[in-house]
Amino acid sequence: MTDRIEPPTAGAPAPDAAAWQPLHPAATRIWRIASVPWVLLPGLGAVVVVVLVVGSPLVTSLVAVTAAIASGIAWWYPALQTRHWRYRIGDEALELRHGVWWRSSAAVPFHRIQQIDVEQGPVQRRHDVVSLRLRTAAAFTVGTVPHLAAADAELVRTRLLAAARAAVAHDDGH
Amino acid sequence: MTEEVQPPDLDARSIGARRLHPWSPVIDLAVWLTRLWPPLLLVASRPNGRLLVVAVLLVVLVVRAVAWWRTTWTYDGDELTVASGVWNRTVRRVPVARLQQVEVVRKLRHQLFGVATVRLQLAHDGDGGDVVLEVLSVADADRLRNGLERRRRAVSFGDDAVAHVPAPPAHELLRLGPRLLALGGLTGASLLLVPTGMVALLSTLDDLGLGDDAEDLAGRLPAVGGAVIAVLLAVAAAPTLMVVRFHGFRLARRTTDLVLERGVFERRSSTVPLARLQLVRLHRNLVRRWLHLGSVDLATSGRATAEGTGSADDAVPVARWHDVLAVAEVALAPRRLVVADRRAVPAATRRLVRRRTLVAVVLTGWVPFVWAPATVGVGAFVALVIVVARAAGRARRHGIGAELVVVETGLIVWTRTFVPLDRVQSWRITESPFQRRAGLSTVSIHLAGTSGRRTVRVVDASSAQRDALLVAIEQRRSG
């Protein structure tokens, strides 16, 4: 991951700047940590309640199978999510593509970038990854790149800031 | 549409440090009382309660008076500075260049005390939000507004000299009379009151058991009359409210701004810089369409506020359709209006019909199994849903110009939205599995602002339509 994005160089963009980049491989694990407990624990709770209250082996097995399937999906889905997440720094915009079931592609033009935030939660700290959040004047702009290697994120941020400055200078020149 | 109106010529290149109007603590106390009168009444009804209430009111008055003493504002020609706070001092500096909209509001309490509120809308939704100078003298409010507008015009023209020239006369675009406003009230959302009122009336008549015999009818006539009057009052409430809220409505253009004035109990005067306009939205329902009426929203990136003043949304509540188009033309000038000439593809209409039919069947399909006589009614309802969905699908259109995108949606309430391409902040394409199978996608265009209404969607666009939209957005940027 760290060799995919070159540091910004004066004048010329890095050769692979326009290539679609994947997220850090740890993204899958982080998403699993965030989703599996929320499915598994209520599922186990439901099984215990059914055993104590209903007591029917058939109902118990149905609930247990449902909980197991839901937990399996919660485990398997983040891998797909990571596989489908791509971003790239285009000529005029940061472009994002993601989504397994509902696919989404978005573009945030450089000249509209107002602010770039770097966010890191405790699990992300453990894996040395961060999320980059781009803000424009529109509240509904979706400009978050989750789970980038911290070193990559710094390079991406620097490149985006340089691109935003250049775009604004270009606009002012007109 | 051609009357010339001269604004007050007030010199306000800068205004030194000032306090709010001395009535400020009293008005604050009045607002406080309107919110807390029930517990105060409860306390006052107890032994020695009145004394306690008077003491509380005095404390509030003193606290507000101290707050008034410690609040000052200054305008130096470039920035408005507001300093406030008794213990913790807060100083806010608002550069004129960042202003989205300036409003002078005179609610009934302000009119009684001869004062006004100045509200400055900013483009962000962070801490603090808008800057509100709650109680100013009317002269100060006008001076401040005129000063801010002059400075903003100078910034937009890039010429400092403009700040020293009095505002040119405003060119009146539209004035709404009480008759048109009442018609607007009757044909607006209050239309929903008619069926609701009719159902309530029929239900009342049913409960009264009328029709059994003539004597019974005579005995219950007052109750029937009361129910009819209640329905009529409910239907009459909307036009009355509309007339009161928008009485004296006037829309004018002054150089680079639109100026809106309206209201009886709450006089409101808003200045909307055209350069801050994010989108223009025209609405009309079936009845208004038949009457050749419509309404206009002018959205800037300012916040939508709880008082409904946000960004001049609902700018023109009702107007003749040719006036509605004229307002849109002026608001978007010099861009040329675009015709929505790209219809939704057949696959998009089919998808809409399938989705709405599915919802109708899920909601009503079980009824015939429970109550067999309803079968015909349910069948007719589903058929109606299919017909309406087909018509709604055909009503979906959009158009692409060099500087504008126009999107039309809706059948019962029809909306036409004009989006200046140079205002687009970002875009997004989403595809559900069903859309992918049909080769469709939804294009969301994001504009500056915090409200969901600042996102314009072209739902179920074909791949060719989607690509044409994105090319137009990107070409505008490159051009």
Side-chain angles (χ1 to χ4, degrees):
Chain A
M1 183 69 192
T2 45
D3 58 346
R4 286 202 178 97
I5 298 169
E6 299 296 324
T9 51
D16 58 352
W20 287 100
Q21 308 286 336
L23 301 181
H24 193 281
T28 305
R29 198 178 307 160
I30 295 168
W31 271 324
R32 277 180 185 153
I33 291 169
S35 63
V36 171
W38 291 103
V39 179
L40 190 61
L41 295 177
L44 287 174
V47 170
V48 171
V49 168
V50 166
V51 167
L52 293 177
V53 177
V54 183
S56 156
L58 180 66
V59 177
T60 308
S61 353
L62 273 176
V63 172
V65 168
T66 308
I69 290 173
S71 303
I73 291 172
W75 178 266
W76 164 73
Y77 191 78
L80 284 180
Q81 214 174 343
T82 308
R83 198 183 304 161
H84 283 90
W85 235 110
R86 292 284 185 277
Y87 71 93
R88 77 171 175 187
I89 301 174
D91 293 336
E92 294 185 344
L94 174 71
E95 296 171 41
L96 314 170
R97 277 187 186 173
H98 55 95
V100 179
W101 194 245
W102 277 271
R103 299 224 174 120
S104 174
S105 58
V108 184
F110 298 138
H111 70 295
R112 295 299 191 192
I113 294 174
Q114 300 270 332
Q115 184 179 331
I116 303 176
D117 295 338
V118 179
E119 296 169 352
Q120 192 176 42
V123 182
Q124 286 181 312
R125 265 201 296 281
R126 172 85 179 74
H127 292 90
D128 197 26
V129 297
V130 297
S131 295
L132 268 189
R133 184 190 294 270
L134 271 67
R135 293 178 195 271
T136 68
F140 288 80
T141 291
V142 181
T144 302
V145 186
H147 313 318
L148 288 174
D152 287 353
E154 190 48 42
L155 295 177
V156 172
R157 193 176 75 96
T158 311
R159 192 184 299 280
L160 287 174
L161 286 172
R165 268 195 300 273
V168 170
H170 175 266
D171 280 1
D172 289 347
H174 279 71
Chain B
M1 305 254 307
T2 54
E3 189 182 332
E4 298 287 325
V5 181
Q6 184 69 41
D9 184 17
L10 298 165
D11 183 16
R13 273 170 242 167
S14 64
I15 301 173
R18 280 170 179 264
R19 289 201 170 78
L20 301 179
H21 194 278
W23 278 123
S24 191
V26 179
I27 292 176
D28 286 351
L29 180 68
V31 173
W32 192 82
L33 266 177
T34 57
R35 288 173 188 162
L36 289 175
W37 62 267
L40 287 176
L41 271 184
L42 202 68
V43 173
S45 65
R46 296 184 168 234
N48 294 329
R50 286 182 189 178
L51 205 62
L52 187 60
V53 168
V54 170
V56 169
L57 293 182
L58 274 177
V59 169
V60 172
L61 189 62
V62 168
V63 168
R64 297 314 307 163
V66 173
W68 166 76
W69 183 257
R70 299 282 287 160
T71 303
T72 54
W73 61 277
T74 317
Y75 172 60
D76 67 2
D78 287 314
E79 279 185 341
L80 176 78
T81 307
V82 182
S84 60
V86 178
W87 300 112
N88 299 317
R89 297 288 291 164
T90 304
V91 179
R92 289 193 70 182
R93 292 178 194 279
V94 182
V96 176
R98 289 207 53 210
L99 287 181
Q100 297 291 316
Q101 190 173 323
V102 183
E103 268 188 327
V104 176
V105 183
R106 298 190 72 201
K107 295 185 177 179
L108 190 58
R109 58 175 179 267
H110 296 111
Q111 294 181 41
L112 288 174
F113 285 92
V115 293
T117 292
V118 174
R119 181 186 295 275
L120 310 176
Q121 283 195 359
L122 308 176
H124 72 100
D125 62 336
D127 291 343
D130 297 347
V131 174
V132 183
L133 295 171
E134 190 62 53
V135 184
L136 292 182
S137 68
V138 176
D140 271 355
D142 283 340
R143 286 179 67 199
L144 178 59
R145 181 181 56 181
N146 290 340
L148 290 169
E149 285 176 11
R150 278 192 202 180
R151 187 66 206 153
R152 203 171 31 70
R153 269 198 300 277
V155 170
S156 15
F157 285 122
D159 181 2
D160 249 15
V162 176
H164 306 294
V165 178
H171 176 74
E172 187 170 287
L173 298 170
L174 189 63
R175 194 181 277 272
L176 301 179
R179 199 177 298 171
L180 187 58
L181 286 172
L183 190 60
L186 270 175
T187 55
S190 68
L191 273 177
L192 293 173
L193 290 174
V194 178
T196 312
M198 291 309 292
V199 168
L201 178 62
L202 291 174
S203 165
T204 309
L205 296 178
D206 194 39
D207 289 346
L208 289 171
L210 293 180
D212 295 347
D213 54 55
E215 277 181 32
D216 206 26
L217 176 65
R220 291 174 183 180
L221 216 51
V224 176
V228 171
I229 289 171
V231 171
L232 289 177
L233 281 178
V235 173
T240 310
L241 286 175
M242 181 81 122
V243 171
V244 169
R245 191 174 171 212
F246 291 98
H247 177 77
F249 181 96
R250 177 176 161 271
L251 174 69
R253 178 174 179 170
R254 186 185 300 147
T255 58
T256 55
D257 302 330
L258 285 179
V259 183
L260 293 99
E261 291 171 356
R262 65 172 171 87
V264 180
F265 298 118
E266 183 179 319
R267 291 292 301 163
R268 191 174 285 274
S269 168
S270 311
T271 305
V272 183
L274 289 171
R276 300 293 191 200
L277 216 57
Q278 298 296 314
L279 62 83
V280 174
R281 193 170 268 149
L282 319 181
H283 307 265
R284 56 181 182 173
N285 58 31
L286 287 175
V287 178
R288 285 190 175 177
R289 190 169 190 165
W290 179 62
L291 294 170
H292 298 286
L293 299 175
S295 56
V296 186
D297 292 348
L298 304 169
T300 65
S301 59
R303 293 187 317 153
T305 64
E307 292 175 339
T309 62
S311 316
D313 281 0
D314 302 326
V316 181
V318 64
R320 303 281 170 206
W321 187 243
H322 58 84
D323 286 337
V324 165
L325 292 176
V327 169
E329 205 163 343
V330 170
L332 292 164
R335 307 173 189 95
R336 292 184 61 186
L337 296 192
V338 184
V339 179
D341 53 358
R342 294 167 192 240
R343 288 170 178 273
V345 292
T349 306
R350 280 199 298 275
R351 196 171 113 78
L352 182 68
V353 171
R354 270 201 297 271
R355 290 176 71 184
R356 296 219 175 147
T357 309
L358 184 68
V359 171
V361 167
V362 167
L363 288 178
T364 60
W366 55 273
V367 176
F369 295 101
V370 180
W371 192 46
T375 308
V376 176
V378 169
F381 173 72
V382 173
L384 181 68
V385 166
I386 292 171
V387 170
V388 171
R390 282 178 67 87
R394 287 201 204 99
R396 279 184 184 171
R397 293 177 186 191
H398 69 275
I400 304 170
E403 292 170 310
L404 285 176
V405 165
V406 60
V407 181
E408 291 183 1
T409 55
L411 182 70
I412 295 167
V413 178
W414 176 88
T415 304
R416 177 187 289 171
T417 308
F418 291 101
V419 182
L421 286 169
D422 55 348
R423 296 284 185 265
V424 175
Q425 293 286 326
S426 61
W427 54 258
R428 182 161 64 139
I429 297 165
T430 43
E431 292 173 348
S432 74
F434 301 109
Q435 280 181 307
R436 268 202 299 283
R437 203 173 60 179
L440 303 171
S441 52
T442 297
V443 181
S444 304
I445 299 170
H446 304 295
L447 300 159
T450 54
S451 158
R453 298 173 79 185
R454 307 292 187 275
T455 297
V456 178
R457 288 187 180 84
V458 179
V459 180
D460 289 340
S462 67
S463 50
Q465 290 174 338
R466 177 197 63 199
D467 292 345
L469 273 167
L470 299 186
V471 165
I473 293 171
E474 286 177 9
Q475 270 181 351
R476 182 70 187 87
R477 156 75 188 131
S478 307

